[in-house]
Amino acid sequence: MSETPQPELPFTTPQAVRFDRALLDSHRSDPGEEAWRAMRIQGEFVNAFDVLGNLGPAIAVFGSARLGEGRAEYDAGRQVGEQLARRGFAVVTGGGPGIMEAANRGAQDAGGVSVGLGIQLPFEDGFNHHIDLTVPFHYFFARKVNFVKYTQGAVVLAGGIGTLDELFEVLTLIQTGKVSDYPVALVGVAFWTPLIDWLRGTLLAAGTVSEADVIRPLVTDDPAEAVAHATGADGSE
């Protein structure tokens, strides 16, 4: 792996981080700052819409930043990226290391379009080196809107809180009818089965979700099957 520093996200100074964090601080309310913050949020959407407007067919790939090269999950992410590119789909990740890097790398290896929707975080240095098109964000909610707006499905590999947040955001949008024909594939049977079992054994049993909510995501160990499902090639659309 290259030792070259990763491209930094803009506006990562401590002052900018504090400015962003203040959005959710219920103890602070400066009308002047709030107005500027609203303009920054608007600017994030305008920039993303401009950059991604002509992207074409694309699939979101979510996964952990902590599972790097040498891990089986990284290899699976790279295969997902390669196979999506060969099917003519751009690969859209969070732009960070780990599985995100793997999917971007696989897309580039196969000659496809590799996209990173990056966000400033204290434990990540910036975009990985396998991205053709970068879009920086300050706010998670703005990034999640653009993930769904410009992709037609998602492949989700092993991940942590952030990956679960992205997964459940998508599942909520599907459940509530905010998006349709948006297939989701989970890669890693051993990793994801306990979650599906919990959804079925606890939530479905309690009547808080429906059967469709539980069976909707495909769970597989096969990157090719996940890609076929996410792209609708298996008739899932």
Side-chain angles (χ1 to χ4, degrees):
M1 295 294 292
S2 171
E3 295 300 323
T4 305
Q6 294 176 322
E8 291 186 356
L9 292 168
F11 307 113
T12 58
T13 65
Q15 293 87 349
V17 173
R18 286 195 294 271
F19 183 80
D20 294 336
R21 186 183 296 128
L23 172 67
L24 301 178
D25 187 347
S26 62
H27 302 292
R28 296 179 55 185
S29 181
D30 182 325
E33 278 195 3
E34 295 300 296
W36 281 109
R37 193 170 292 110
M39 292 180 67
R40 169 178 280 183
I41 293 168
Q42 180 183 22
E44 289 200 355
F45 282 106
V46 170
N47 178 63
F49 291 175
D50 182 58
V51 173
L52 299 172
N54 296 314
L55 180 60
I59 298 295
V61 180
F62 302 125
S64 174
R66 304 185 186 198
L67 302 180
E69 193 168 8
R71 294 289 298 260
E73 297 90 345
Y74 185 98
D75 294 339
R78 192 170 176 181
Q79 291 178 53
V80 166
E82 290 175 352
Q83 294 187 36
L84 285 170
R86 292 194 182 106
R87 289 180 180 269
F89 286 82
V91 171
V92 184
T93 79
I99 289 175
M100 293 174 281
E101 174 191 291
N104 289 134
R105 182 178 177 182
Q108 281 194 339
D109 289 345
V113 178
S114 176
V115 183
L117 308 188
I119 196 162
Q120 193 277 326
L121 295 173
F123 42 82
E124 290 183 19
D125 297 326
F127 292 102
N128 68 65
H129 293 290
H130 302 281
I131 298 174
D132 306 308
L133 191 63
T134 60
V135 186
F137 289 89
H138 292 279
Y139 300 111
F140 279 106
F141 65 86
R143 184 171 76 154
K144 287 190 288 187
V145 167
N146 283 276
F147 262 126
V148 177
K149 179 175 175 61
Y150 292 104
T151 62
Q152 291 76 56
V155 177
V156 188
L157 293 99
I161 299 297
T163 300
L164 291 174
D165 177 47
E166 290 156 342
L167 170 61
F168 278 98
E169 175 81 13
V170 169
L171 294 180
T172 299
L173 292 172
I174 295 170
Q175 182 197 53
T176 56
K178 299 297 184 181
V179 297
S180 60
D181 298 327
Y182 195 93
V184 177
L186 309 180
V187 179
V189 172
F191 186 89
W192 292 111
T193 296
L195 175 63
I196 300 300
D197 288 345
W198 177 76
L199 292 174
R200 182 176 297 280
T202 301
L203 303 191
L204 183 61
T208 59
V209 298
S210 69
E211 179 70 19
D213 299 325
V214 177
I215 67 172
R216 185 172 283 114
L218 170 75
V219 183
T220 180
D221 283 323
D222 183 358
E225 185 180 13
V227 167
H229 182 79
T231 59
D234 65 349
S236 60
E237 288 189 324

